[in-house]
Structure formats: structure tokens, C-alpha cells
Amino acid sequence: MILAKAKQPFNVIAVHIVLLTYTFIALFPVFIILVNAFKSRKAIFNSPLALPNADTFSTIGFEKVLSKADFLLLFGNSLLVTVVSLFFIILFGAMLAWALSEYKFTGRTLLGLFMAIGIMIPIRLGTVSILEIVVALNLVNTRTALILVYIAQGLPMAIFILNEYMSQIPKELKEAARCDDVSEYQIFFSIILPLARPAIATVAVFSMIPIWNDLWFPLILAPGESTRTVTLGIQQFIGQFVTDWNAVLASLTLAVIPILLLYVFFSKQLIRGLTAGAVK
Amino acid sequence: MASRSRFPWHILVFILPGFIIYTLFSAWPLLDTMFLSLFKQASSGERVFSGLANYQELLSDPHLSEGFWNALWNNFKFFLVHVLVQNPIGLLLAALLSLKGLHGAKTYRTLIFIPTLLSVVVIGFTWQLILSPLWGITPNFLKSIGLGTWFQPWLGQEHTALLTLALISVWQFVGVPMMLIYASLIAIPDELIDAARVDGASAMRIFWQIKLPLIVPTLGLVTILTFIGNFNAFDLIYAVKGVLAGPNFSTDILGSYFYRTFFGAQSSLGSPTMGATVATVMFLIILMGVMIYFYVVQRRIHRYQL
Amino acid sequence: MASLSLRKINKRFGKVHVLHDLDLEIQDGEFVVFVGPSGCGKSTLLRLIAGLETISDGEMRIGDHIVNDLSPRERGIAMVFQSYALYPHMSVYKNMAFGLKIDGQNKQQIDQKIRDVASKLQLDSLLDRKPGQLSGGQRQRVAIGRAIVRDPKVFLFDEPLSNLDAALRLKMRIEIARLQKVLNTTTIYVTHDQVEAMTLADKIVVMNGGHIEQVGAPMELYNAPQNKFVAGFIGSPAMNFLVAGVSTDNNTNVITLANGQTLPTQQHLKHGTQLTLGIRPEHLSLYGAETDLAIEGQIESVERMGDITYIYFSMPGHDLITMAQQGDHQLPIGQIIRAYAKPEKIHLFDESGKAIKLS
């Protein structure tokens, strides 16, 4: 009667049922897409829930998609834009965060507040003017335009996270270096940056996803054939294929798989980054 | 030491690169957009100062204002669905995941977060397929649980499309409140929960009377982040419903309305200055939300030292 | 109020076996202290008793009831935590009322009890404050008050003083001792601080590596430790251990130290047995009689506290030996000294570390 009482203060089975149900809800749509992308058109409609088997297996969708669109180019563009943006967000963000946390200079608080505006106010709202600037700089349809905008978009959050972290780096470390007459640049690059690695990882995680997935700026600043990113490419591409289910499913799958693969390897870091500070 | 009095160039070097890019591509455009909203563009391309005329037009001109108020109202509904559905689900999941000694919590957490990682475009198309009457996954599913008659082409009907899109967005982004709330829940010291257990509190009571009051600041943060995200959302509407946010603009929200005003759609011509006006109004709405958050929520809600 | 008994208690976390076959009897009203190095299982044992962890194996009774499967509340225990674990969003009053409300007591009753306990602990003026507005000592008192107000059968304390500064720790120690005498409630107190253990306990339970090493009154543990671990753990500074052997001299067994000194013994010890000889620092003296054990070494360091002087000297093949001398002694470092110990103050341990009684 009193057997299971003291074990857990909650009903384990009920908790698992709720979590399993939600996990199912979260994954089912993705699962459906992935599964049906590898089936013949007939099988997609006749048995959408079944796994592909010898009879129904087909890669016709992928063949169509890959023959019509240069997916490699799309991925290349997305990868380039994301990686270069991330690099500069981290570098410039860390430099600014370091200046703000370490040096006392007039206007420091003001600069901090100025940079913080971007955390709350979405950069999209300046699009009209951004487009004009990009036109004026002759950067329309270039990946550079995207990179510049994404750096501006990512910096505020990066500075916020890095500043918090850097102000906790013990004074003694810097003082010791200064006593050895090490230059301020060396202190930053060879002491502070390596020490800030955990915070940098968090910044990378936070900045990466919105850049990779963004539709707005690629659509407005770089819609050209050669500079399209995956997200935009998929969007435009699926528009052309509305009724070709094989092709649509294959395109979606191609967009999903790299992210899933990346997630398999980096989910730990990503989640640690998201819950950073709280994890004891 | 001579170097003491020298100008601290290194500070400038640390600040300038980021500062310039941020100013040029984020801060200045925001300001310039507001400035631009005070002008009208002639067909020759010349811009003439017009004071608040654009705003007057936007808010009261029958041609423009109808669309604006519609989008604003829709946007509020979109936000409301998130607050009422996304955040409670996020809270529930986080509360369950943070239960001490629960096996598999990490796996659940990792899996449930997957949709949040995918691009809104992919999510939009995916749900479009799943809810499609053509494919039949949803109607067949409903039939199998005896609710076959419930099925409707939700995304295609004027009175259900917005709610459906909002729920799709909730489905995708529930991972964000889940993670933030989860992080603040596990930051509550174990001993506090032990103390409550010793006091005889059930898991339910511990949640409502101990954990929840302690994470109210996080709930505030989640709400303002949702607000900001919702009031410049665009991708999902555009991906699923296109630039016209159909049917009959029933899914139009400020983001899509902004895009149309700026670039034009079908018959209507776009206008940068009118686009800037819409963007400025969006800015003001978001600013208002942020200020309410800081002044009311942050000041009233006490952050307890844990 | 109640007695408590543990029979063959085991605790495993997955494959890790952290508590091994523990048996313990605690009498009604007794103040029992669990002491041991960190990781010895004392806190786990306390959490088992509290009902915060499940018992893997064995039987636990409070009074006449088997409580293995009862929740903390059903066991009638109250606990004071190391971090105090006060609910930060509740006033002191509400902190104390929380458990009583769950018990379903009526408001008047609750109010009466809280006022009563608050006056006992001088918390009256703090009842409306939040924990964040209290000092460490005040929080500690609130935590104790929250436990007392429940009127539990057993009080549990988990290192309650370790977050306080030295002066406050002493004050609270005396306060806890006083309260326990007044309330006369069975109390279990976990600490790693042997001074707290010696001063508070009616009965000390020394734990190590998930085993109970010895149970006894403080002086019993001090005077007659059952093994080397207890001997080394109880007493400050720690007991000195010397390597020794047994040899035969004129047909009588003698204990031989590494430096060749000998000590007669009536014990029937086998020739060649390896022994450890233990002497507490305070039992070493600069002066002694012919019959005393005498050891010689070179002074390495001298700490003069005024009332007492600690002399550390080295002997080949041993750790530094500590000697505590009453009063102030000025001794030059490097000097060879001779330290004497009365034979009855010497402890002997066999190879397994078990104490050999010197008759």
C-alpha cells in the first residue's frame, strides 16, 4: 500500500507519457517529411506513414531537385555567410566587450547602452534604409551585404554575453601580464580570448541559428541566383514545384538534414550554451 | 613612464570595427528609417519633407489604414496565441524536465528542441503538406480517432488560417521558453526543494508555491522576447501564404504588411517612405513593449537571491 | 519524540554502493552526531533517514514503525539544511507556516506556534522580513525555528554551521546544544567538524567510506578508539602514528620502535607482528619518568599560541610528530628533543588498523 510512496514525489509514468507525447508531436512532422522524401509518388499518397521499402523506395525527388538547382551552391552560400559572420561577430564582439569591461573611458556607459539597443530592437525595422545603404555601396546581391548586416545584428547579444563573462576574469591575470610589460593587444588575444572560450561558444550558438535560417535579408538584399542562401533557395524552389510532391519533400529533406547532422554532433554544446550560467 | 600619458589607441582599436559596422548597418538605418518616414517620395524619386503626413495616412487613410489596422490586430492575436499556448506548454515541459531524478530528461530536451532549429520556411512548408487535404495525413488521422468530420482546410479558411499559423509558430518555437524556463528552474537550489519535501509539500505544491514564484522574472523575459519576435515576424507568413498573406489578408501581420508597403505587391506600388513609416510604427510598438517590461515587470518583480 | 533504529541499511546509486550494512540504535531524546571526512556517506545517511533518498536495502524504524517507504512528512522529521534553504519569496513567518499549513492546521494554531517558537529564538521582530534581508546567523535561527515549529519526532541537521564565521559558529553551537536540552527531541546532526561532534553529541557515529567505524560517547571515542581511523579522526591536533614491531627481549615481548626504542608489554603479541603505535600530541611531554616511552627527534617547527605550544619534530621514517605542551615554550629549531609518553596513554593498532587493548 505504501510501497512506492517515498520513491519519487511525482508520478513517473505520467511524466513520461506527457514528455513522450510532446516529443512525438515535435518530431512527427519532421519524420513524415524525411520518410516520404524517399518514396515514390504513389507510396507518398497511399501510405504516408510507412517507411520506404524495396517497392516504394525512390530517389526521384532528389534527382529532380538536384538537376534543377545547384544545392551545393546554396549550401556554400549559407555556409560562407554564416561562418564569416560568426567569425566577425565573435572577434569584434569580444573586442568591444573587452573594451567595455576593462577600460575606463568617457562615454563608456553610453557606448554600452547604444550597443544594447540592438538586443531589444530587431534590425529588420531598419530594412528600408539598409537597402539604400547597400545600394549606395554597390553591394546588392553580394554575400558581403548579408555578412555586414548579420554582424550588425549579432554584435549586441555577443557583447552582452561576453561582457558578462569577461568582467568575471580575475584581475590578477591581467595585472600580472601588465607587470611583464605585455601589450594590451597581446593581453586580449593571448589571455582574454582563450579564457572566454565558453562564452564564445554560447555566442556562436546564439548567433548561428538565426543567420542560417533567415529569409528576410537574403530575400531583400541578395536574391540573385548566385548569392542565394539555402533558406531562400528552398523557399523559391518549392514555389515552382508546388504539385511535384517528390521534389518538394526532397528539397525540404535537403534543407533539414545538414541541420540535423550538425545537431547530432553539437547538441550538447548548444544546449549547454542555451542554459549557460544556470547549470551548476 | 611616458606611455601613461599617451593616447590610448588600443581602446579605439578594440571599439571601432564593431562600432562602425553596428552603427552603419543597425543603429543608423533605424534612425534613418524614422527620419525617412517624415518624407514623401515623388514619382521622380525626389523626397519631400512632409511631417507626419505619412502617419496620418497610415492610420486613417481608408486605402492604407484598413490593411494596417488589420495587420496590427492580427499581430495581437498572433501574440496572444503564443502567450496563451506557447509559454504554458514551454513551462509545463520545463517543469517536467527539471524534475529531479527523471531519466531521459536530456534526450527529451534535445529532441523537443529540434523544430526550433529548423528554418521557418521549412517548417511552414512541412505543415502545409501535413495539413493539406490533398495528402490526407491529417484527415486520415482524425478519422482514425473518430473525429473525421472535424477536418477542415485550416490554412485555407479565412477564420482559421491565422490561428493555424500561430499554432505552427508555437509548435516551432516552444523550445525557446522551454529552455529558458528550464535553465531557471534547475538554478533553484536542490536544498530548497528538499526543504519543501521535508515540509510535506507534494510535487504539485512545490511547483506552484516554490518554483513558480521564483521563476517569474524568467516568465517576464520569455514574454517580452515572444512579443519582440512576434511583432517582427514575417518568414512563416511569407513562406506559407506568400506576400499577400491570404486568404483575403486574414493572416497579414505587421511584418508582411511592412514588406508589402515597402516593395509593393501585385497592383500596388511599393514606397520606401511609407515602408519606413510602417517600420517606425513597429519600432514604437516594440519599444513600448520593452519599456513596459522594464518599468513595470522588472521593477515590480523581485529577483530573489537564490 | 522517538527512538530510531537502522538495521542493515544499504544505499546504492546505480552501481555505486555508498552505504554498507549500517546498524545503528538511537535512543529517544539522544543527540547523535554523524562525523567523518567528506564523501564518507554521512549526508547520504541523513537523507535516507529524512526520506529524501530511498533505502536500497535494510530496515529503518522510527519509534515502532517501519518508515522505509514513508515520505519525510509521514516520518515526522524536520530538517535544517546547510544553506538554510529558506524559501526566498516568503517572509520568515510564512517560511515557518508553510509546513504547518500543509499539515492542515488552522490559522490560530499556526499563529500560536509560530509566535511561541519565534520568542524562544528571538525572531519576533523578524517575522515579516524576507530571508534576503537577514544576516547569516538570523537565517540560521529561522531555519531552526522552521524545524522546531513542526514539533517533529526527530530533528535532522545537515552541517548547519558550516556557512557561518567562526565567532557565530561558536554562538550557534551553544544555542543548538541549549535548545536540544530544552526540547529534548531526538536529534541527528551531521558535520565534518570533530569539535562540533565532541561538544554537541551524546553519542558520536564516526563514518568512513560508507561504513560506521565506531559509535560511542565523545570521551569513549577519545580514550578508546576502536581503530586507527577513529583514533586519527577524533582529537585535534590528530594523533601521531609510529611504526612499531614486536620483538622478544629476555623472554618477554617488547614493542620496538623503528629507532630501536622499546616498550614492555604484557600483551601476548606474536614475534614479528607489525604494529602502529598511536600517541596523542597532548600526551607527549618534555618531561617524563624512566618507565615512560621516550622518543627523540629534531625540532622542525614551533608554534607558540601563548596558552599552548605545538612542537613539530622529525624522526627518521615517520611523518612529523606533533607535541602539544601547555604553556609557552621557547625552543630553537634544529634542537634534538626527547618526548615522553605515559604507557597507559599509548594506543596500539594491528596491521588491519584495529585497536589492541593494552591491559
Side-chain angles (χ1 to χ4, degrees), chain B residues 195-216:
Chain B
R197 284 177 63 194
V198 169
D199 269 341
S202 62
M204 271 298 176
R205 192 188 283 265
I206 290 177
F207 178 74
W208 289 110
Q209 297 190 0
I210 308 289
K211 290 181 177 175
L212 197 62
L214 293 177
I215 60 161
V216 168

Short mmCIF file of all heavy atoms in Angstrom, two decimals, chain B residues 195-216:
data_model
loop_
_atom_site.label_atom_id
_atom_site.label_comp_id
_atom_site.label_asym_id
_atom_site.label_seq_id
_atom_site.Cartn_x
_atom_site.Cartn_y
_atom_site.Cartn_z
N ALA B 195 13.85 20.97 1.28
CA ALA B 195 13.20 21.57 2.44
C ALA B 195 11.68 21.51 2.29
O ALA B 195 10.97 21.19 3.24
CB ALA B 195 13.65 23.02 2.62
N ALA B 196 11.21 21.80 1.07
CA ALA B 196 9.77 21.76 0.84
C ALA B 196 9.24 20.33 0.98
O ALA B 196 8.16 20.11 1.50
CB ALA B 196 9.45 22.33 -0.54
N ARG B 197 10.04 19.37 0.52
CA ARG B 197 9.61 17.97 0.66
C ARG B 197 9.54 17.58 2.13
O ARG B 197 8.62 16.89 2.56
CB ARG B 197 10.57 17.04 -0.07
CG ARG B 197 10.37 17.06 -1.59
CD ARG B 197 11.37 16.17 -2.28
NE ARG B 197 11.23 14.77 -1.91
CZ ARG B 197 12.14 13.85 -2.17
NH1 ARG B 197 13.26 14.18 -2.79
NH2 ARG B 197 11.94 12.60 -1.81
N VAL B 198 10.53 18.02 2.90
CA VAL B 198 10.51 17.73 4.32
C VAL B 198 9.30 18.39 4.97
O VAL B 198 8.69 17.85 5.87
CB VAL B 198 11.83 18.20 4.99
CG1 VAL B 198 11.70 18.14 6.49
CG2 VAL B 198 12.99 17.33 4.52
N ASP B 199 8.94 19.57 4.46
CA ASP B 199 7.75 20.24 4.98
C ASP B 199 6.47 19.54 4.54
O ASP B 199 5.38 19.96 4.92
CB ASP B 199 7.72 21.70 4.48
CG ASP B 199 8.41 22.64 5.46
OD1 ASP B 199 8.56 22.24 6.63
OD2 ASP B 199 8.78 23.76 5.07
N GLY B 200 6.61 18.51 3.71
CA GLY B 200 5.45 17.73 3.33
C GLY B 200 4.78 18.16 2.04
O GLY B 200 3.69 17.72 1.73
N ALA B 201 5.44 19.03 1.27
CA ALA B 201 4.81 19.53 0.05
C ALA B 201 4.85 18.48 -1.06
O ALA B 201 5.86 17.82 -1.24
CB ALA B 201 5.51 20.80 -0.42
N SER B 202 3.76 18.38 -1.78
CA SER B 202 3.70 17.47 -2.92
C SER B 202 4.40 18.12 -4.11
O SER B 202 4.70 19.31 -4.08
CB SER B 202 2.25 17.20 -3.29
OG SER B 202 1.65 18.42 -3.67
N ALA B 203 4.67 17.33 -5.15
CA ALA B 203 5.35 17.88 -6.33
C ALA B 203 4.56 19.05 -6.90
O ALA B 203 5.13 20.06 -7.31
CB ALA B 203 5.53 16.79 -7.38
N MET B 204 3.25 18.93 -6.91
CA MET B 204 2.38 20.00 -7.41
C MET B 204 2.56 21.28 -6.59
O MET B 204 2.73 22.37 -7.12
CB MET B 204 0.91 19.58 -7.31
CG MET B 204 0.43 18.85 -8.52
SD MET B 204 0.52 19.91 -9.96
CE MET B 204 0.02 18.76 -11.21
N ARG B 205 2.50 21.10 -5.27
CA ARG B 205 2.60 22.26 -4.40
C ARG B 205 3.99 22.89 -4.52
O ARG B 205 4.13 24.11 -4.54
CB ARG B 205 2.33 21.86 -2.95
CG ARG B 205 2.14 23.05 -2.04
CD ARG B 205 2.07 22.63 -0.60
NE ARG B 205 0.80 22.04 -0.22
CZ ARG B 205 -0.19 22.75 0.34
NH1 ARG B 205 -0.05 24.03 0.54
NH2 ARG B 205 -1.29 22.15 0.70
N ILE B 206 5.01 22.04 -4.62
CA ILE B 206 6.36 22.57 -4.77
C ILE B 206 6.43 23.42 -6.03
O ILE B 206 7.00 24.51 -6.03
CB ILE B 206 7.40 21.43 -4.83
CG1 ILE B 206 7.51 20.76 -3.46
CG2 ILE B 206 8.76 21.96 -5.27
CD1 ILE B 206 8.44 19.58 -3.44
N PHE B 207 5.79 22.93 -7.08
CA PHE B 207 5.82 23.70 -8.32
C PHE B 207 5.10 25.03 -8.17
O PHE B 207 5.65 26.09 -8.46
CB PHE B 207 5.21 22.91 -9.48
CG PHE B 207 5.19 23.68 -10.75
CD1 PHE B 207 6.36 23.88 -11.46
CD2 PHE B 207 4.02 24.26 -11.22
CE1 PHE B 207 6.35 24.64 -12.62
CE2 PHE B 207 4.01 25.01 -12.38
CZ PHE B 207 5.19 25.20 -13.08
N TRP B 208 3.89 25.02 -7.70
CA TRP B 208 3.09 26.24 -7.66
C TRP B 208 3.57 27.22 -6.60
O TRP B 208 3.51 28.43 -6.82
CB TRP B 208 1.61 25.91 -7.41
CG TRP B 208 0.97 25.26 -8.60
CD1 TRP B 208 0.56 23.96 -8.70
CD2 TRP B 208 0.68 25.86 -9.87
NE1 TRP B 208 0.05 23.72 -9.95
CE2 TRP B 208 0.10 24.87 -10.69
CE3 TRP B 208 0.85 27.15 -10.39
CZ2 TRP B 208 -0.31 25.10 -12.00
CZ3 TRP B 208 0.44 27.39 -11.69
CH2 TRP B 208 -0.13 26.39 -12.48
N GLN B 209 4.00 26.71 -5.46
CA GLN B 209 4.28 27.63 -4.36
C GLN B 209 5.76 27.94 -4.17
O GLN B 209 6.10 28.92 -3.53
CB GLN B 209 3.69 27.09 -3.05
CG GLN B 209 2.17 27.01 -3.17
CD GLN B 209 1.49 26.73 -1.85
OE1 GLN B 209 2.14 26.58 -0.82
NE2 GLN B 209 0.18 26.65 -1.87
N ILE B 210 6.61 27.09 -4.69
CA ILE B 210 8.04 27.36 -4.52
C ILE B 210 8.68 27.72 -5.86
O ILE B 210 9.23 28.81 -6.03
CB ILE B 210 8.80 26.14 -3.93
CG1 ILE B 210 8.12 25.65 -2.65
CG2 ILE B 210 10.26 26.48 -3.69
CD1 ILE B 210 8.25 26.55 -1.45
N LYS B 211 8.59 26.82 -6.82
CA LYS B 211 9.33 27.04 -8.07
C LYS B 211 8.76 28.20 -8.87
O LYS B 211 9.49 29.09 -9.30
CB LYS B 211 9.31 25.77 -8.92
CG LYS B 211 10.15 24.65 -8.34
CD LYS B 211 10.11 23.44 -9.25
CE LYS B 211 11.00 22.32 -8.76
NZ LYS B 211 10.86 21.13 -9.60
N LEU B 212 7.45 28.19 -9.09
CA LEU B 212 6.86 29.20 -9.96
C LEU B 212 7.13 30.63 -9.47
O LEU B 212 7.57 31.47 -10.27
CB LEU B 212 5.36 28.94 -10.12
CG LEU B 212 4.71 29.66 -11.29
CD1 LEU B 212 5.33 29.20 -12.61
CD2 LEU B 212 3.21 29.42 -11.31
N PRO B 213 6.91 30.93 -8.19
CA PRO B 213 7.20 32.30 -7.76
C PRO B 213 8.65 32.70 -7.99
O PRO B 213 8.94 33.87 -8.21
CB PRO B 213 6.89 32.28 -6.26
CG PRO B 213 6.02 31.11 -6.04
CD PRO B 213 6.36 30.11 -7.10
N LEU B 214 9.54 31.72 -7.97
CA LEU B 214 10.96 32.05 -8.11
C LEU B 214 11.36 32.28 -9.56
O LEU B 214 12.41 32.84 -9.83
CB LEU B 214 11.82 30.94 -7.50
CG LEU B 214 11.70 30.80 -5.98
CD1 LEU B 214 12.53 29.63 -5.49
CD2 LEU B 214 12.15 32.07 -5.29
N ILE B 215 10.55 31.79 -10.51
CA ILE B 215 10.95 31.98 -11.91
C ILE B 215 10.12 33.04 -12.63
O ILE B 215 10.19 33.17 -13.84
CB ILE B 215 10.91 30.66 -12.70
CG1 ILE B 215 9.50 30.08 -12.68
CG2 ILE B 215 11.90 29.65 -12.18
CD1 ILE B 215 9.28 29.08 -13.79
N VAL B 216 9.34 33.79 -11.87
CA VAL B 216 8.52 34.84 -12.50
C VAL B 216 9.36 35.78 -13.37
O VAL B 216 8.94 36.13 -14.47
CB VAL B 216 7.69 35.60 -11.44
CG1 VAL B 216 7.08 36.85 -12.03
CG2 VAL B 216 6.61 34.69 -10.90
#
